[in-house]
Amino acid sequence: MRTQYFVQEHGYYERGAFYEYIHNKYKLKDLFFNKDYMSSSSFPFVIDFKKKYLTVCESITCCAMAVQNKRIMNVEEFKKKEGK
């Protein structure tokens, strides 16, 4: 089972809503950044259920590798996978 997800959402308010969704549904801590910073970022969220954190991936290299390996999903894809 996969324990880490890269999730892309666009727009400040949409990202803020996703941040709230994650924190309301799961007990995760913020890693490195706060809600406002993550909502303002254009980088994908990283949700790690094993280490229990939420952050954004600001490494261009990691993001490029995630794209090449088809690891970045949108919010709806994430909700479908987590709903199983």
Side-chain angles (χ1 to χ4, degrees), residues 27-44:
K27 291 199 181 270
L28 302 174
K29 62 182 177 183
D30 290 344
L31 187 65
F32 305 122
F33 310 112
N34 63 23
K35 177 185 176 182
D36 188 55
Y37 187 90
M38 286 191 243
S39 297
S40 299
S41 178
S42 59
F43 290 101

Side-chain angles (χ1 to χ4, degrees), residues 15 19 32 39 48-49 72 74 78 82 84:
R15 289 178 66 86
Y19 175 96
F32 305 122
S39 297
D48 192 309
F49 291 113
I72 298 179
N74 64 36
F78 172 77
E82 281 306 294
K84 291 182 178 178

Side-chain angles (χ1 to χ4, degrees), residues 72-83:
I72 298 179
M73 61 183 66
N74 64 36
V75 172
E76 294 308 314
E77 292 169 325
F78 172 77
K79 288 179 178 179
K80 284 180 189 173
K81 282 198 179 269
E82 281 306 294

Side-chain angles (χ1 to χ4, degrees), residues 3-4 27-29 31 47-54:
T3 61
Q4 188 179 72
K27 291 199 181 270
L28 302 174
K29 62 182 177 183
L31 187 65
I47 301 120
D48 192 309
F49 291 113
K50 185 175 183 181
K51 296 180 182 175
K52 299 184 180 184
Y53 69 77
L54 172 68

